[in-house]
């Protein structure tokens, strides 16, 4: 929604646009954040899965951290690819059920898809995304 959104650490922001309104032509990458709200607010989002697919189809960087690599798995973007996710049993199972090769690494880069395990991986995740953007 465009209503106020509160992160798991209390930060509150007002979203600029809906997933369904985002145009991949306007961006170089999509980065899907994680956190405890990802299961409730992101995993079941058809519009977010479709948006991620559009970025991948346009050969753009697609990245997700913490619990959100599950979104990429459910979108079919991790099938046959190595990927990581927060070591939550449900999240790991979603990756495996959707053909991902699960790896308990901090960050995994597979083509232009970047996945990261947890908040401690954030700096390495950001560096990997920047590296992918520089290559394009």
């Amino acid at each position: 929604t465009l209503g106020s959104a509160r992160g798991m650490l209390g930060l509150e922001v007002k979203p600029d646009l809906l997933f369904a309104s985002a145009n991949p032509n306007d961006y170089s990458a999509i980065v899907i954040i994680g956190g405890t709200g990802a299961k409730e607010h992101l995993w079941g989002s058809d519009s977010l899965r479709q948006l991620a697919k559009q970025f991948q189809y346009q050969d753009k960087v697609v990245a997700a951290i913490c619990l959100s690599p599950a979104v990429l798995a459910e979108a079919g973007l991790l099938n046959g690819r190595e990927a990581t996710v927060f070591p939550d049993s449900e999240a790991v199972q979603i990756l495996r059920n959707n053909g991902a090769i699960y790896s308990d690494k901090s960050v995994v880069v597979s083509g232009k898809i970047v996945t990261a395990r947890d908040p401690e991986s954030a700096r390495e995740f950001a560096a990997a995304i920047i590296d992918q953007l520089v290559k394009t």
Side-chain angles (χ1 to χ4, degrees):
T1 72
L2 293 177
S4 182
R6 182 183 310 271
M8 66 184 239
L9 299 178
L11 179 66
E12 194 167 314
V13 297
K14 182 164 178 4
D16 295 324
L17 63 128
L18 299 171
F19 296 138
S21 301
N23 183 348
N25 294 325
D26 296 336
Y27 304 95
S28 299
I30 183 171
V31 179
I32 306 170
I33 58 142
T36 56
K39 284 184 180 185
E40 179 182 352
H41 300 289
L42 302 180
W43 283 12
S45 174
D46 288 332
S47 56
L48 179 56
R49 286 193 298 268
Q50 290 305 314
L51 184 60
K53 286 181 187 182
Q54 290 173 10
F55 273 84
Q56 198 252 357
Y57 178 75
Q58 291 185 15
D59 199 33
K60 294 186 176 189
V61 176
V62 177
I65 189 170
C66 196
L67 289 168
S68 290
V71 173
L72 303 183
E74 289 180 329
L77 302 183
L78 301 181
N79 188 21
R81 294 179 181 265
E82 183 182 1
T84 192
V85 68
F86 187 81
D88 169 86
S89 60
E90 186 179 8
V92 170
Q93 197 59 50
I94 288 171
L95 264 65
R96 289 184 171 144
N97 287 348
N98 287 281
I101 302 161
Y102 171 69
S103 175
D104 187 27
K105 294 179 183 173
S106 179
V107 173
V108 174
V109 178
S110 179
K112 291 189 178 179
I113 296 179
V114 181
T115 55
R117 182 179 53 210
D118 51 33
E120 290 77 24
S121 307
R123 287 188 192 275
E124 185 181 351
F125 179 60
I129 293 167
I130 291 167
D131 184 54
Q132 291 303 307
L133 289 170
V134 168
K135 289 179 181 179
T136 57

